[in-house]
Amino acid sequence: GAMTDYPEGITPWSDYREQILTVMIDDGVSHVGDYAFYTCAAVTRASLGNDVISIGLGAFAYSGIETIILPESPEEALIRFH
């Protein structure tokens, strides 16, 4: 299912945003929530599960993302970035 959309900077893991280095979204998650990893400056890598079809507004804004690993699929993947 879809991850919750969050307001800017308010997530259950906000207090740990400086300690989060890698984001791994498991299969079964279809949407990365708005502002989910907003200002997680230590995050440099994200791996998206096979079911992700959209990435919310500002989901990785002001993060340190250098690499995003997209889902492996035999079909062409269409992921919508907001």
Side-chain angles (χ1 to χ4, degrees):
M3 180 187 286
T4 300
D5 287 325
Y6 298 98
E8 287 182 39
I10 303 173
T11 63
W13 48 87
S14 291
D15 291 342
Y16 305 100
R17 68 180 171 263
E18 293 176 8
Q19 300 169 27
I20 301 171
L21 305 177
T22 301
V23 172
M24 296 179 68
I25 307 295
D26 289 336
D27 291 347
V29 177
S30 60
H31 170 74
V32 179
D34 290 356
Y35 301 103
F37 302 100
Y38 179 79
T39 68
C40 290
V43 171
T44 59
R45 182 180 172 107
S47 177
L48 306 182
N50 289 322
D51 299 314
V52 172
I53 57 172
S54 68
I55 296 175
L57 178 68
F60 294 101
Y62 301 103
S63 71
I65 286 287
E66 297 171 356
T67 303
I68 295 180
I69 300 171
L70 300 175
E72 293 181 21
S73 174
E75 301 173 14
E76 181 177 334
L78 174 61
I79 298 178
R80 202 173 74 217
F81 288 84
H82 297 277

